[in-house]
Every structure is written in structure tokens, then in C-alpha cells.
Amino acid sequence: MNGTKCLPAFLAVFWFIASAFSQATSVFRGNLAHTGVYDAAGVAKLTGLKWKFHTGGLIISSPAIAGGVAYVGSTDGNLYAVDLNSGAMKWKFETKARIVSTPAVADGVVYFSSYDGLFYAVDALTGKLKWSFKNAGERRFAARHIHGSLPAAETMPDPFDVYLSSPAVWNGTVYFGSGDGNVYAVHAATGAIQWKFHTGDVVHASPAISGGTLFIGSWDSYFYAIDATSGKEKWRFKTGEDPDIHNQVGIQSSAAVIDGTVYFGCRDSHLYALDAVTGIKKWSFSTGSSWVISSPAVLNGKVYFATSDSTLFYALDAKSGKQIFSLKFKFPFFSSPAIAGNKLYIGSHDGKLTAIDLTTQTRAWDFQTDASRQRLAAFTKRDGTANYEAVYVSDFYDDMLAGIAKIQSVGTILSSPVVAGRMVYFGSNDGNLYALM
């Protein structure tokens, strides 16, 4: 672990004051209800790159911003603290495995998970460990014949299970899901367990909290509402199953909660809207056969989300689920949208971050990552769509892994953008944290 020396008292006080005004960017999806909306000006017209910070691995984690610092994890096993003005590293904290959990920052502490099976609390100023909590063992969702891969009788970890659950901090408690199938609530100051709630499989979605209730989905195909204080189940909702190839099953999308409704995506190719109190379905929107990994953003009576294979961006009416408009892209989306003002920002598998003007319902600008500029052409057809025939050479599981690695080599954006002030921040699989202005 690397850490800087302690700062003078007046600087520490300044940090806490500044962080009080940045809580909207210090948790995944911008707030505890995960609406994906940021109170910021954003980047209406792209000027260019202010800075980029390079790590030794992929940045799948989304940045959390507090006190003039961006905190982000990398698959090189480090959590980085990066100065927002200069893009210089302030400190890094080393774990024993990849970090693909988006941190949460509260009361001067950074909380995050690692694939080493530990959940960490680190001092936000110094990078020094405060405490760690060990779960029963982190793992990915796994099943036989997954996505139709061979050999059919072999249990295989799902290579598209790319995220770990990102924590939420509420009322002195930290909440997060785990690959051991549990949702945990631990004391924010000490790491002592408050309660755990067991589901039937891996939990890598991130908890949303609203009205004292925690909302989260599991790979067991159920979406849960849990009392955040007691850990008791309030209700559960069943989504689709796929017992043969396990392609159309599981909840990776994190919920957004607003106006008494919970919105979330599912790999059964639906976006769902449930009553937050009862769990009764208000409506569902079918994408055909395309996953909804992207977490929805909700603003002014509209729900925004994107799909995987069908490469579509949707705007739906929040009350009825009826489509308002859609935009067609070239590559899939796992990244979740962020809204600031009348602009929405989202990243794609082709290594492009796009700003969408919600007023005109058109693309405002695009930014292309370094690796995308260098390598995208090798894996695309003449029309700009993905050349999957060149990527996936057979249905054997090992060849699927090799194909995914090829696609991700183009600077794929799995990280979700964060908007703070007149800047947009996001990570890429080329190892860079980007700051756009």
C-alpha cells in the first residue's frame, strides 16, 4: 500500500467542506437512489481532453469524486486517488486482485470491493487502511453450456459478469452485494457486520436505497426489496429463466428508484418498472433478445437506458413504458448513462463516449479512447459494426474468451461516466481514466 503523509488540519477541514458539496458524485450512479442524474453543467460542446491518468490494468470501475479527487479502481489491483485539476496521482492502495467495484466516499472514507474477497475502507486523504471485511469468497456467475459454449457439460464462469457490486453508504452503514450470494450491511466506522441477506446466487448488482429500503437484483433471477435497517425481506420479484444456456437470465443492472417506482434492466431482455412498496409490476419493456446490463437513468418522467447486442439507446415514458425515441449505435453497451442538464453521456464497447442531446434527441458529440483510435478498425466491418466473424472463431469456451479479449483491446468503455462541474470523467479498458472538458 502507498500513502501520502497526513495533511495539515486546515486542509483536512477544507476537504470535508468540499466533499459535502460533492456527494452527488461520490457514489455509483450519482445518488443513493441511483437515478444517474448529476447537478452539474457538463460538457455541452466537447473542447477536448483535460488530462488522462494511466493505470496498469483495465478500468471497469466508475470513478467516485469527492473533495477535488477522483477515486477509481483498476484490474491491476490498485485503487487510485487522482487529483481532479492536474490528473496526478495522490496515492494508491494495493489489494491482491482486480478492483471492478465503483467506490463510495462518505465522511472522509473510501469504500470498495476487490476480487480478493475483501471489502475495504480506506482513508480518503492518505490512502491508509481503516478496516477490511472478508466475505465467504468472491466469484463470478457460472453455469453449464453458458451462452451455448462447448463443452456443454462443463461449468464455466460467465465472462460477461464484469462488475462487482458497488457500495452505498446510508445512516452509518455500508451496503454491498457479493459473489458469495449475500447482500451485506456493515458498520461504516468499524466494518462490523450488521446483517446479511442470502440470495440464491451471485450478487454483483449495486444496491439502491430509498425510503429506508434497499433494492437489488441477483443472478438467481430475483429482484429484492430489503429493509435497510433490519435486513428483512419486504418482497421479491421473479424475472426470466434460461436453464439450457443461461444466456437470458440474471440481473446485472442496478436499480433506479424515483416517484414510488423501481426501474432496472435484466439479461432476460427486459427493462422492468415495479411498485417500490409492493413489488408489483407496473410495466416491462422488451428489447427482443438483447440484454439490459446498463443501469437506467431517470429524469423528468423519462427512463433512459441502452442494450447489448441490439446496440440501441432508448428513451421510454416512465409511467407507461412506451417508447419515446431510440438511437441506433454500432457496438453494444454495458456502460450506464449519466445525465447533466439536457445532455446524457454514455460509453460503448467500441471505445467511444457519446453525448446525446435530450432536447433534439440526437448525438451531440463523440470522444474516442486511445486504444479505439489505434485498434478499432481491425475488428469492424465497412459499415462500422463489430466484425464478430473475425473475433469469435468457434463455439468453444476458450475461443469465446479470446474473442472477448480482442473486442476489449479497442478501449471498450465498461465504466460509467460521472459529471462534475463542466467536466466528464470515465474509465476505459485501455487503462486510462479520462477527463473531458
Side-chain angles (χ1 to χ4, degrees), residues 5 39 56 58 79 99 129 166 177 189 208 217 225 228 238 240 243-244 294 329 338 342 345 382 390 398 434 436:
K5 62 182 180 180
D39 184 14
L58 318 179
L79 181 85
I99 301 170
L129 178 67
S166 300
K238 183 75 170 66
D244 182 16
S294 176
F329 287 77
N342 72 335
Y345 309 90
R382 288 184 178 180
D398 295 17
Y434 292 91
L436 305 185

Side-chain angles (χ1 to χ4, degrees), residues 170 175 195 211-214 225-235:
W170 180 71
Y175 304 88
W195 54 257
T213 301
L214 182 151
I226 305 167
D227 186 282
T229 302
S230 67
K232 301 296 184 182
E233 180 180 318
K234 290 188 170 184
W235 52 258

Side-chain angles (χ1 to χ4, degrees), residues 385-433:
T385 59
N387 187 356
Y388 290 123
E389 291 81 2
V391 171
Y392 299 110
V393 298
S394 82
D395 290 335
F396 199 76
Y397 180 73
D398 295 17
D399 290 331
M400 180 173 66
L401 296 183
I404 292 170
K406 290 176 185 177
I407 288 290
Q408 293 190 352
S409 72
V410 305
T412 290
I413 302 172
L414 302 175
S415 171
S416 299
V418 172
V419 189
R422 297 184 179 276
M423 303 288 296
V424 177
Y425 304 89
F426 70 96
S428 166
N429 278 18
D430 65 8
N432 289 322
L433 177 66

Side-chain angles (χ1 to χ4, degrees), residues 259-324:
D259 296 333
T261 304
V262 185
Y263 305 90
F264 68 95
C266 185
R267 287 217 324 199
D268 69 2
S269 301
H270 286 82
L271 184 86
Y272 290 95
L274 311 181
D275 185 282
V277 176
T278 65
I280 294 173
K281 184 175 74 172
K282 293 186 174 183
W283 53 260
S284 64
F285 180 86
S286 174
T287 67
S289 60
S290 191
W291 299 341
V292 185
I293 307 300
S294 176
S295 301
V298 188
L299 180 66
N300 295 335
K302 299 179 181 65
V303 183
Y304 303 95
F305 70 101
T307 64
S308 60
D309 287 356
S310 62
T311 68
L312 285 164
F313 171 83
Y314 286 104
L316 308 182
D317 180 83
K319 288 187 176 180
S320 67
K322 292 182 178 179
Q323 181 177 324
I324 298 171

